[in-house]
Amino acid sequence: MSDYIIHVENLSKYYVIGHQRRKDDGLRHAIEAALRSPLQWWRHRKQSIAKEHEEFWALKDVSFNVKQGEVVGIIGRNGAGKSTLLKILSRITEPTSGSIRLKGRVASLLEVGTGFHPELTGRENIFLNGAILGMSRVEIKRKFDEIVAFSEVEKFLDTPVKRYSSGMYVRLAFAVAAHLEPEILIIDEVLAVGDTAFQKKCLGKMGEVARGGRTVLFVSHNMAIMRQLCTAGLMLNQGQIVKSGLIGEVVDNYLTVEVSCEGHWRRADPLPKEPGIYFESVTVFNHRNEPAGHLDVTKDFTIEIKMEATDIIRKGQIALGIVNKEGTIVLTTCNCDAAREYTPIEAGRHLFRVNIPGNFLAPDTYFLRIASHAPHIQLFDLLEDKISFSIEDTGSLRSLFRDERRGVVQPLLNWTDEHST
C-alpha cells in the first residue's frame, strides 16, 4: 500500500432511477380505482411503486492501485462509469461503499468551468481555484503569470467568466489545474472543446506533468492520444473493471470487445416506432459480392446498409465513417455526396450501397461508424464500432514494392514524367 498514491478498494456507487408515471396515474384515476376495487387497487399500487424506481449501479466493486508518476488512461463506452469514478476520486460525489486512499493534493478538470464562479473575473477565479486546491496565496502568485500565459486569456482576465466562451473556460481551467502542482491530476474529456493547437499544448503540458513525477488520470475516447500519453490503462464496462494493464493491451481489448469481426451486424431488438431512420443490418461484401470480414487490399469492396424510415424525413442523411484502431477517422461519406444537398428519405425500407476502391486503405483493422440523422436537428440511430473488417496484403504489394508502403491510405496514383535532354 505504501508504494501507491491512489488505492481504491471495492468501490461502488448506487443510484435510484425514477421513471415517469403514466398519464392515467393521476389522483382522480387513483381514487376511482380505489373505490371500484380496493384490493386490486392496493396490489396495483405496490407493483407500480416498485416499477417507478429502478436500481442502477454506476460502479460495482471497483478496485485498483496507481503508483506515483503513472499516467493512467480510463477507457470505456458511454455509460461505463468513467465520469462517476473520476467524480468520486475528486471528492465531488460520495461512494455508496468501498474505500479510497489518496496521497497528496488532487486537481480535477471534469467539466467546462468546474469550480468557477460566473460572477468573478478570470483573475479572481484563478485565486479561488488555487484556494480550493489548498494552495497558499504566495504559491498562487508565484504561478500566476505562467497560468495566464498558458491560458491565452490575458485580454479578458478582468472580465467575469460568465462572458467567456466554452473554449476560454477550458483554457483557463486547464491552466489552473496543471500549474498549481497537484500530486494527482484528474482530467475528463473536456479538452475536446478547445481548438487543435490548444489541445496539443495541453497534451504537452500533461506529458510534462507526468515526467515531473506527478500522477495523471485521463479519460478520452481518442485512442491515439491514449497510446501517446498514457503508460497504463483501465477499461470499464457497466461499472466494472474488465481489463487493466499496459495501455496498448487495454486499448486493443477495448477496440475489439463487443465488435463483430465478420463484417456484419443485424439489429436484435424491434425497430422503434417513433418517426425516424433506423438500421436493420450492415454487411461488408468483398469484390466477389460475398459477405466477408477479411478483404484483399488490391480489390474493391462494398458496404451495404439496410434500414427503414418510419416516416418521410425531408432532410435525411446516412453518414458512414471508417475508423482505424487508433481512433483516427480515415474517411467520412454520406448518401448526399453525389447530389451535394440533403434529399428526402421516403417512408419504407431502403438499401444503400457504397463502394470503396482497392489499393486505397492500408492493411489494418477498421471499424464502421454509421449514423442516420436530420443534420443539425435530430439523431435517429447510431452504430458506433459495432462492425469491423480487416484489409489484408496478400503479397501483391510486396512483390511490386520492395519497401513497405506507409500511411493510413495507400492509393496507387498516376505519375507523369516530362523528361527532356
Side-chain angles (χ1 to χ4, degrees), residues 112-127:
V112 175
T114 299
F116 280 8
H117 192 294
E119 299 295 335
L120 299 182
T121 65
R123 183 187 305 272
E124 292 165 336
N125 270 295
I126 290 175
F127 283 92

Side-chain angles (χ1 to χ4, degrees), residues 6-140:
I6 301 175
H7 176 73
V8 176
E9 187 174 0
N10 298 327
L11 187 68
S12 297
K13 180 61 181 177
Y14 165 85
Y15 290 101
V16 176
I17 304 174
H19 294 288
Q20 189 174 3
R21 294 183 178 184
R22 300 199 318 262
K23 292 181 180 179
D24 60 353
D25 280 346
L27 178 60
R28 179 172 63 85
H29 294 94
I31 293 174
E32 290 176 355
L35 291 175
R36 280 198 305 269
S37 178
L39 184 58
Q40 183 178 353
W41 172 83
W42 177 246
R43 288 174 179 168
H44 173 73
R45 178 64 180 162
K46 290 175 66 178
Q47 293 174 354
S48 63
I49 290 174
K51 291 180 180 178
E52 285 171 15
H53 297 90
E54 178 185 347
E55 293 183 1
F56 174 70
W57 289 93
L59 294 173
K60 186 69 173 177
D61 294 328
V62 170
S63 299
F64 65 92
N65 298 307
V66 179
K67 292 182 179 179
Q68 183 174 347
E70 279 192 303
V71 183
V72 180
I74 301 176
I75 300 171
R77 302 189 184 279
N78 292 332
K82 305 184 300 296
S83 295
T84 301
L85 176 60
L86 296 193
K87 287 178 181 178
I88 293 175
L89 292 174
S90 303
R91 300 186 179 94
I92 294 172
T93 302
E94 287 288 331
T96 303
S97 61
S99 64
I100 301 172
R101 297 177 188 174
L102 306 173
K103 290 184 179 180
R105 288 179 296 204
V106 178
S108 303
L109 187 55
L110 304 183
E111 295 176 2
V112 175
T114 299
F116 280 8
H117 192 294
E119 299 295 335
L120 299 182
T121 65
R123 183 187 305 272
E124 292 165 336
N125 270 295
I126 290 175
F127 283 92
L128 174 62
N129 269 254
I132 291 173
L133 292 172
M135 309 293 289
S136 68
R137 189 173 183 83
V138 174
E139 289 177 290
I140 300 170

Side-chain angles (χ1 to χ4, degrees), residues 190-265:
V190 294
L191 299 184
V193 180
D195 56 60
T196 303
F198 188 72
Q199 288 179 25
K200 291 181 179 178
K201 193 174 180 179
C202 291
L203 292 173
K205 184 62 181 179
M206 289 167 64
E208 181 184 323
V209 167
R211 289 190 296 273
R214 284 177 279 168
T215 303
V216 180
L217 297 184
F218 182 48
V219 166
S220 176
H221 288 283
N222 189 318
M223 297 300 109
I225 291 178
M226 284 289 192
R227 291 184 192 270
Q228 172 189 338
L229 187 68
C230 303
T231 55
L234 296 174
M235 178 179 166
L236 290 175
N237 186 34
Q238 297 183 349
Q240 296 181 308
I241 294 178
V242 294
K243 180 71 176 178
S244 63
L246 297 176
I247 188 64
E249 297 173 357
V250 176
V251 168
D252 288 343
N253 186 269
Y254 169 72
L255 291 174
T256 55
V257 70
E258 296 181 357
V259 174
S260 167
C261 296
E262 299 303 321
H264 179 72
W265 170 87

Side-chain angles (χ1 to χ4, degrees), residues 63 96 118 158 173 263 274 403:
S63 299
T96 303
D158 294 306
E274 296 81 7
D403 297 327

Side-chain angles (χ1 to χ4, degrees), residues 1 5 29 31 56 77 100 110 116 129 132 259 297 299 304 306 320 322 329 333 341 346 398 415:
M1 164 61 202
I5 193 168
H29 294 94
I31 293 174
F56 174 70
R77 302 189 184 279
I100 301 172
L110 304 183
F116 280 8
N129 269 254
I132 291 173
V259 174
V297 67
K299 307 296 184 183
E304 180 185 275
K306 291 183 179 179
L320 180 147
I322 297 180
I329 300 175
T333 182
E341 62 181 357
E346 301 291 338
R398 288 198 186 94
W415 287 49

